[in-house]
Each structure stands twice: as C-alpha cells, then as structure tokens.
C-alpha cells in the first residue's frame, strides 16, 4: 500500500508553487557592437539587487572589478551558444542586474546602459514571468601604439608607458591609470584592451625603479588606479663641472611634462591610434633637498625613527613622495624633492605633525616639525523629525572623516569612522591634525543615508563644518554637532526622448543652486527605470535644477565649465522638507 501511495504521488508531479514565489526565466542574445553579429562564449551574470527600487544599493560589483563573486542565492549565470543566445531558468522573483563579459578584447556590458562604458539599470522579474528579447551589446576594445625616444633620439627600451583617462573625483577632473606597459628593444609599445573614450599617454625612462611598471587587466567599463613611489635620484655632471641631482618624471604625448598641455587621444570602438611617439628628453628634472628636525612637542626632545613624507599638493595618478626616517637627533634629509607645494608630514607611534612648504630653485634647511598625540573629537548626531522611509537611523549615524584634500600618499586621518551610542554621542580618538571633510552614513553604499534623510547642519562651535570643512590644529574644545533632517524632499518624474516616449537608463541629477554647489552631498543622482520613471530622495530644502542626460561622464555635473553648456536645459524645482515635487524631463543628447 505504501508503494502504491508513493507511485501515486510521483504520478501527480511536483507540487504547484504559489504564484507569488514561482520562478521566472530570462532569455536574450549577446551581439557585437557595430556589426550586430551574435557572440558565442559570452559569460552572463545575473545579480540580485537589494533595497528600495528607486534608490538601489548595488550589493555586488560589476564583473571585472576584482571583487569576490556574490553568494550563490543571489547569483545566476549562463554562457551564450553559437547563436549568441542564453537562457537563465528558475530565477526567483526580485530585482536584478544583468551583465555580459567575453574574453578576446570586449568591454563588459550591462542591461540598460546607454553607452559602452556607462552604467546600466536594474529590472524587476515578476513571479513566473518569462522575459525575452533582451539584447546585450559587447563593444570591442581599442589600442594605442607608438615609439619612445631618449634624449639622443634613440629608441628607449624598457620605458614605462601608461594610458591615462580623465575622470571626476570629488567634483574635480583628474587622471587615473588604466594600463601600464614596457617598450621593447626598438622602443615600441602597444597599449591594448582599452575601452573607447578619451586618453592621455605618458612615458618614463625604464632605468627608473617603479613599483608596478606593468599593469594589464581585463577590459573594464570603469576603473581607477593610482600609485605612489619614492624618487629615484641620479647625479649628473654639467658642462661647468657642477654635479646636480635629477629625477625622471613622466612625459606626456607629444613631449611635455605638464598635463595641461598634453594632447588628448580619442579612441574609437575597436580602433587603433598609431604613431603616438613620445620623446622623453624633457623628463629629467632637477631636484632639491629638504632638511630639518622632528621634535616631540610634549617633551621638547628630538624624536628618532619618525617617518617624514613630502606629499605634493597637486595629485597625479603617479605621485612621487620623497621620504626619510629621522635620526637619533631628530634630523631628516629628504632628497629628490621637485619644485612645487607640499604637505610635510612626520608620524610615529601615535604621534603626528605637519607643515606646509613651498619648494623653489634651492634647498630648504632647518624645517621644524613638532609632533603631538592625536586629538579627541567628541560630538553628537541628532535626527530632526521621524523618517517616513524604512531606513536604519542607527546605521545612518556613522561618522566618517576624510582628509581634504585627500591626496595620494597622505597618512591616514586615524580613525576613519565612529558609530555613535544610543543617544547619538560619538568619540573619535587619535585624530591627526589637518583639514577634513565629515560625512555621515555608510560610505560603501550607493545611497549612504536612509533614503529620505539628509545632513541639515554640522557645526563645531563657531565653525560651519558643512560649509567650510573641519580644521584641526589643536585639541578641539567644542563638540561636533551634526543634525540630520529626517524627511528630505523628493522629486518624482519621468524622462522622455525627443519623440515623447519614456526613456530608460537616463542619468537624472538634481543640481543645487549656486551657493550650495561646493557641497557634494547636495547633489542627488539616479537612473530612470525601465518605464522611464525616477525618484530623487533625501533632498535638503532649497532650489534645484534637474537634468536628464542620455550619456554624461560620472561627476561632470559638478564641473562649472561643463554645466555652463547645460544650465538652460534643466528644469527648476523648489524643494521643501517632506514634500513631493513632480516633473517631466526631456533627455539631453548633446551640448
């Protein structure tokens, strides 16, 4: 009888799943940009999203970031067949992001992206839904080739050549390293696997030591890399008999040591920019010495074994940081210091000190650096009002310190963050002196505060920290008071194209009025969803101009030079605490 019962159950098939949890299916095709030919062997990755559908927290980074893969329950994969098609079955309902990667020189693609290097958008899979017709386009990478010549016009073998691309960091346009290669014995180089875009190329003599002379990674849509090295100082005898010290600096194509006069290279999809030849005769730069003493301010005694760093005020992707350890008498001698402005730091065993220094055409002696124990910064985070969203106000009150400017090579602020107690009070111990930005929330999140919250004010005594930053030159006597508004304004709307159709994947940004444009936290950005809808949340009260771009470089909206071309193409909105405003935007497709 038991056997018959089991057979009866098997005959009935698996039990029907409730409609609310029935898995779905996703089908699509991967094609090559330009030709639209199907691509076999492309790897498909489907990652679950978490959080509110309007302000996503991307739980997993896109492929090519080097981070570990997502947990199995949030990750599904497939590989395209000979026809470029893929099928992912038994996918639980939810919000997802869809990526495609392929070896052989293709830029990773994401569902909903509006340019080869742009970010995509999440989409919702309903219970039991079968999504078909998805097309992911993989863009072929390009290359840059040329020669490097030494000061005698001869081919420079083993020269370090780097491809740099511009990007925005904290609202400032700068450069980052994409790839580094070495020239061969004929002085030839080839930079490859480069996504389409704008590039600058530098070269430096291979005789100089470099911590990472070769850096080649799989193609990626967006990547930033910087490096700091010690100066390599060489002696050269002038025709007069004078012996001078020099170090090699990168030379930008077509032959300048200044980034502002470098020639830009516009690289097309699958293209090759050849003939990018770089003479490095301008590379050697005469250097100077900075000498002085480190003392313990508490005892007045010389301090041995303190690390002394000369950090350039101007940040480049490759930074040369002269350094030394103080001797028994506290003395130090920094060699290889090029002309310019510097922060001079001395640190050891919980003690730190710094001075600002300008280096010209001669050595600098008798620089005094007094080090002190770190400061104690006490404060309190206050939430004004009750939030209407489901955000975690406790997690939101994490207080973070960032050096301002945050230049490569600078010592840590130590500590970097603190979690307040139940009453909102917090203490940061051992904070170095200097200038800082203070932020609140979880910095690893796309949306660091709960969605409707915003920073209303930050004050330390008479200092307006939100407006001017935090400046520490001694033990502060006042508390750092941070007030969070619980119910910021919202701007809801829809983005339309020129044909008055809803547009998915547009970049929507609320840009504050002129008086607040120096405050990074006042800008809010989101992408329009699959229906063209968007919601901007956590807006401080005030005047904003809202823009929708088809494609724009990340962070470009904080550049005054860029925004001058767009000011008349946005929509003005006045935001009030706790209010919802509604707008309809027409996408901007060009200047």
């Amino acid at each position: 009888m038991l056997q018959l019962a089991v057979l009866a159950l098997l005959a009935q098939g698996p039990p029907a799943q409730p409609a609310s949890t029935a898995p779905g299916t996703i089908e699509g095709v991967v094609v090559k940009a330009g030709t639209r030919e199907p691509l076999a062997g492309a790897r498909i990755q489907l990652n679950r999203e978490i959080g509110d559908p309007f302000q996503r927290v991307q739980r997993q980074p896109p492929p090519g970031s080097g981070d570990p893969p997502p947990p199995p329950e949030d990750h599904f994969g497939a590989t395209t067949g000979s026809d470029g098609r893929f099928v992912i079955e038994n996918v639980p309902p939810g919000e997802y992001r869809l990526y495609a990667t392929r070896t052989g020189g293709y830029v990773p693609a994401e569902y909903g992206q509006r340019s080869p290097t742009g970010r995509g958008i999440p989409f919702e899979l309903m219970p039991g839904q079968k999504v078909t017709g998805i097309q992911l386009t993989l863009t072929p990478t390009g290359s840059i080739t040329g020669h490097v010549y030494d000061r005698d016009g001869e081919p420079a073998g083993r020269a370090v050549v780097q491809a740099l691309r511009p990007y925005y960091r904290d609202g400032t346009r700068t450069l980052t390293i994409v790839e580094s290669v070495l020239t061969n014995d004929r002085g030839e180089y080839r930079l490859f696997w480069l996504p389409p875009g704008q590039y600058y190329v530098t070269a430096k003599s291979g005789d100089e030591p470099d911590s990472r002379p070769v850096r080649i990674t799989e193609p990626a849509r967006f990547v930033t890399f910087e490096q700091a090295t010690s100066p390599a100082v060489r002696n050269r005898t002038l025709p007069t008999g004078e012996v001078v010290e020099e170090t090699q600096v990168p030379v930008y194509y077509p032959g300048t040591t200044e980034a502002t006069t470098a020639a830009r290279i516009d690289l097309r999809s699958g293209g090759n920019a050849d003939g990018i030849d770089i003479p490095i005769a301008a590379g050697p730069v005469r250097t100077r010495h900075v000498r002085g003493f480190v003392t313990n301010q508490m005892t007045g005694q010389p301090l041995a074994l303190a690390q002394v760093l000369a950090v350039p005020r101007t940040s480049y992707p490759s930074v040369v940081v002269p350094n030394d350890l103080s001797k028994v008498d506290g003395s130090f001698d920094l060699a290889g210091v090029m002309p310019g402005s510097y922060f001079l730091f001395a640190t050891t065993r919980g003690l730190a000190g710094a001075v600002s220094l300008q280096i010209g055409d001669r050595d600098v002696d008798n620089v005094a650096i007094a080090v002190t124990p770190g400061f104690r910064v006490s404060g309190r985070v206050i939430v004004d009002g009750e939030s209407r969203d489901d955000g975690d106000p406790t997690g939101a009150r994490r207080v973070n310190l960032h050096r301002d400017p945050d230049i490569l090579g600078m010592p840590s602020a130590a500590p970097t963050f603190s979690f307040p107690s139940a009453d909102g009070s917090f203490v940061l111990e051992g904070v170095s002196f200097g200038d800082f930005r203070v932020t609140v929330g979880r910095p690893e999140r796309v949306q660091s505060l709960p969605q409707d919250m915003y920073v209303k004010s930050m004050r330390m005594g008479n200092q307006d920290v939100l407006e001017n930053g935090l400046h520490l030159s001694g033990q502060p006597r006042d508390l750092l008071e941070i007030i969070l508004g619980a119910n910021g304004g919202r701007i809801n709307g829809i983005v339309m194209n020129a044909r008055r159709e809803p547009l998915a994947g547009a970049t929507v940004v609320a840009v504050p009025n002129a008086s607040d444009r120096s405050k990074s936290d006042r800008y809010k950005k989101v992408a329009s969803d699959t229906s063209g809808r968007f919601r901007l949340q956590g807006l401080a009260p005030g005047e904003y101009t809202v823009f929708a771009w088809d494609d724009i470089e990340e962070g470009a909206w904080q550049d005054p030079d860029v925004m001058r071309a767009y000011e008349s193409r946005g929509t003005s909105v006045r935001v009030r605490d706790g209010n919802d405003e509604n707008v309809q935007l027409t996408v901007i497709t060009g200047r």
Side-chain angles (χ1 to χ4, degrees):
M1 293 293 293
L2 179 60
Q3 185 178 11
L4 290 175
V6 171
L7 290 173
L9 287 172
L10 291 175
Q12 294 174 11
Q17 291 185 309
S20 60
T21 60
T25 302
I26 296 173
E27 296 182 5
V29 63
V30 177
V31 300
K32 180 179 179 180
T35 65
R36 318 304 278 179
E37 63 180 283
L39 286 174
R43 198 168 149 252
I44 308 301
Q45 185 172 315
L46 183 69
N47 293 347
R48 185 192 294 272
E49 288 279 294
I50 59 173
D52 182 274
F54 289 100
Q55 291 281 7
R56 292 294 172 197
V57 174
Q58 189 172 337
R59 187 169 179 181
Q60 309 302 335
S65 67
D67 289 340
E73 65 271 15
D74 293 331
H75 167 63
F76 304 87
T79 302
T80 59
S82 58
D83 58 356
R85 298 194 170 276
F86 65 89
V87 179
I88 304 177
E89 299 177 315
N90 296 317
V91 181
E95 294 285 333
Y96 292 90
R97 286 182 181 265
L98 184 66
Y99 306 96
T101 58
R102 189 180 187 273
T103 57
Y106 290 91
V107 185
E110 182 181 2
Y111 172 81
Q113 68 186 119
R114 303 203 61 80
S115 69
T117 56
R119 296 182 184 271
I121 58 174
F123 63 93
E124 184 177 7
L125 182 67
M126 303 300 291
Q129 183 181 10
K130 184 175 183 178
V131 177
T132 61
I134 287 180
Q135 180 174 287
L136 297 174
T137 302
L138 288 175
T139 301
T141 58
S143 60
I144 300 174
T145 58
H147 294 78
V148 177
Y149 299 100
D150 64 19
R151 68 174 65 193
D152 298 319
E154 296 295 325
R158 292 188 58 79
V160 179
V161 184
Q162 294 184 330
L164 314 177
R165 72 167 181 85
Y167 83 113
Y168 285 91
R169 179 181 179 184
D170 297 329
T172 301
R173 190 173 176 83
T174 184
L175 295 172
T176 188
I177 301 169
V178 178
E179 188 174 289
S180 299
V181 298
L182 294 177
T183 58
N184 63 16
D185 60 322
R186 298 179 179 179
E188 301 167 332
Y189 73 88
R190 184 171 186 267
L191 296 155
F192 56 96
W193 284 350
L194 301 176
Q198 299 176 353
Y199 290 90
Y200 296 87
V201 179
T202 67
K204 186 171 68 169
S205 168
D207 296 333
E208 307 295 330
D210 196 311
S211 61
R212 296 192 68 172
V214 175
R215 182 181 185 273
I216 301 171
T217 62
E218 290 290 329
R221 290 176 295 160
F222 24 79
V223 62
T224 60
F225 176 74
E226 298 173 329
Q227 62 181 7
T229 60
S230 299
V233 181
R234 289 190 163 196
N235 294 334
R236 183 165 69 92
T237 303
L238 301 179
T240 61
E242 180 186 4
V243 178
V244 298
E245 293 182 350
E246 293 180 335
T247 190
Q248 182 79 22
V249 299
V251 177
Y252 293 82
Y253 170 76
T256 175
T257 58
E258 298 294 332
T260 54
T261 56
R264 190 183 75 195
I265 300 165
D266 294 315
L267 189 63
R268 302 185 312 276
S269 167
N272 177 60
D274 57 5
I276 308 302
D277 299 338
I278 308 174
I280 57 174
V285 174
R286 186 169 179 176
T287 62
R288 302 296 176 179
H289 283 254
V290 174
R291 305 180 182 93
F293 296 87
V294 181
T295 58
N296 186 328
Q297 185 171 304
M298 307 298 290
T299 65
Q301 298 300 308
L303 193 63
L305 299 178
Q307 185 180 45
V308 183
L309 305 171
V311 180
R313 283 178 176 267
T314 303
S315 181
Y316 294 101
S318 295
V319 180
V320 176
V321 181
N323 57 87
D324 191 22
L325 287 177
S326 61
K327 310 301 186 291
V328 174
D329 62 353
S331 64
F332 64 86
D333 184 349
L334 300 176
V337 185
M338 292 179 287
S341 297
Y342 289 84
F343 294 106
L344 208 60
F345 290 94
T347 59
T348 182
R349 299 187 298 274
L351 303 174
V355 296
S356 295
L357 202 61
Q358 184 72 32
I359 306 298
D361 60 356
R362 63 186 61 189
D363 294 349
V364 178
D365 295 307
N366 300 316
V367 177
I369 307 178
V371 299
T372 64
F375 306 131
R376 176 188 176 97
V377 177
S378 301
R380 188 180 179 195
V381 179
I382 301 169
V383 178
D384 183 13
E386 294 185 6
S387 179
R388 55 179 164 168
D389 65 19
D390 296 326
D392 172 18
T394 302
R397 291 198 296 262
R398 167 171 159 164
V399 180
N400 312 282
L401 286 185
H402 316 266
R403 283 200 180 274
D404 188 18
D406 187 11
I407 297 174
L408 183 66
M410 277 190 165
S412 168
T416 56
F417 68 89
S418 173
F419 285 104
S421 58
D423 65 352
S425 61
F426 66 88
V427 176
L428 293 161
E429 297 279 6
V431 179
S432 170
F433 64 87
D435 299 328
F436 302 94
R437 285 186 301 113
V438 183
T439 61
V440 186
R442 298 188 178 102
E444 72 275 9
R445 287 179 175 263
V446 175
Q447 176 72 10
S448 61
L449 285 173
Q451 295 153 12
D452 279 320
M453 279 191 175
Y454 67 96
V455 179
K456 200 169 188 177
S457 68
M458 287 187 191
R459 300 198 69 86
M460 178 178 276
N462 294 326
Q463 291 186 55
D464 186 339
V465 177
L466 188 61
E467 179 71 31
N468 303 313
L470 180 63
H471 311 287
L472 296 178
S473 57
Q475 176 61 47
R477 293 174 295 180
D478 300 303
L479 293 177
L480 174 59
E481 184 178 76
I482 302 172
I483 299 178
L484 302 178
N487 279 305
R490 294 177 177 178
I491 300 177
N492 305 297
I494 188 168
V495 180
M496 312 291 285
N497 62 20
R499 298 186 298 274
R500 312 306 297 166
E501 300 166 334
L503 184 69
T507 300
V508 183
V509 184
V511 177
N513 62 16
S515 63
D516 285 335
R517 291 196 178 181
S518 62
K519 303 174 184 175
S520 296
D521 66 303
R522 290 297 190 250
Y523 294 80
K524 297 294 180 180
K525 184 205 79 166
V526 73
S528 57
D529 66 12
T530 53
S531 302
R533 298 178 305 117
F534 68 88
R535 176 185 292 165
L536 297 158
Q537 295 181 243
L539 291 156
E543 299 286 343
Y544 292 83
T545 306
V546 188
F547 300 87
W549 284 280
D550 178 72
D551 182 32
I552 188 170
E553 190 175 353
E554 184 76 19
W557 44 83
Q558 289 184 257
D559 187 333
D561 293 333
V562 171
M563 291 307 297
R564 271 193 284 272
Y566 294 118
E567 290 291 359
S568 63
R569 306 178 72 176
T571 299
S572 297
V573 179
R574 181 171 182 80
V575 172
R576 298 173 178 82
D577 242 6
N579 277 17
D580 282 60
E581 306 295 335
N582 296 287
V583 297
Q584 180 174 301
L585 305 177
T586 300
V587 71
I588 300 171
T589 56
R591 292 199 174 194

